[in-house]
Amino acid sequence: MPAGPSASRRTVLRGAAVVPVAGLGLAACAAPGNGGSATPTAPVDLGAEKEVPNGGARLYKDHNVVVSRAEDGTLRAYSTICTHAGCPINKLQGTTLVCPCHGSQFDAMTGKVVQAPATEPLTTLSVKAANGRIVAGPAT
């Protein structure tokens, strides 16, 4: 049997094997399903104000929000939708948010990127304490 047809068949089979793998790579850069991956579009009650300590932060996964409190008591809130690929961030280590998709890290106190691949800071949200509760929503 001539060598030509075997090489051609091998090439076709290799190409067929690469296509699904390339598709997985593209899927890894896409945001997970839309269920629960949106930032609040209206003010939302996150919980008791005392849950966020001075100099610390609290991640509210169900609402894709992180709230931090400076040493002086000032509250700040950020969307926890990663600015790199739109993945919901689900991990807070101290005051560092870690994206599960590609490892981007953000400072929960400032929203700034501390580790790439993300290059843009997290979206700032409005936040206030009212009647002992934390309420966050879209920036005003």
Side-chain angles (χ1 to χ4, degrees), residues 3-68:
S6 294
S8 178
R9 210 172 321 152
R10 241 182 262 132
T11 302
V12 170
L13 291 174
R14 282 185 192 146
V18 170
V19 170
V21 173
L24 288 175
L26 292 174
C29 285
N34 290 336
S37 66
T39 300
T41 56
V44 62
D45 183 323
L46 297 174
E49 182 180 4
K50 66 182 179 182
E51 293 176 341
V52 182
N54 282 0
R58 169 101 193 250
L59 176 60
Y60 297 92
K61 292 180 194 176
D62 292 345
H63 299 288
N64 295 311
V65 174
V66 66
V67 176
S68 61

Side-chain angles (χ1 to χ4, degrees), residues 41-102:
T41 56
V44 62
D45 183 323
L46 297 174
E49 182 180 4
K50 66 182 179 182
E51 293 176 341
V52 182
N54 282 0
R58 169 101 193 250
L59 176 60
Y60 297 92
K61 292 180 194 176
D62 292 345
H63 299 288
N64 295 311
V65 174
V66 66
V67 176
S68 61
R69 185 188 305 269
E71 290 295 339
D72 68 3
T74 304
L75 292 172
R76 292 189 179 193
Y78 302 95
S79 165
T80 56
I81 301 301
C82 182
T83 58
H84 172 247
C87 297
I89 298 170
N90 61 5
K91 189 178 200 179
L92 178 65
Q93 295 177 322
T95 58
T96 301
L97 292 158
V98 181
C99 181
C101 293
H102 302 105

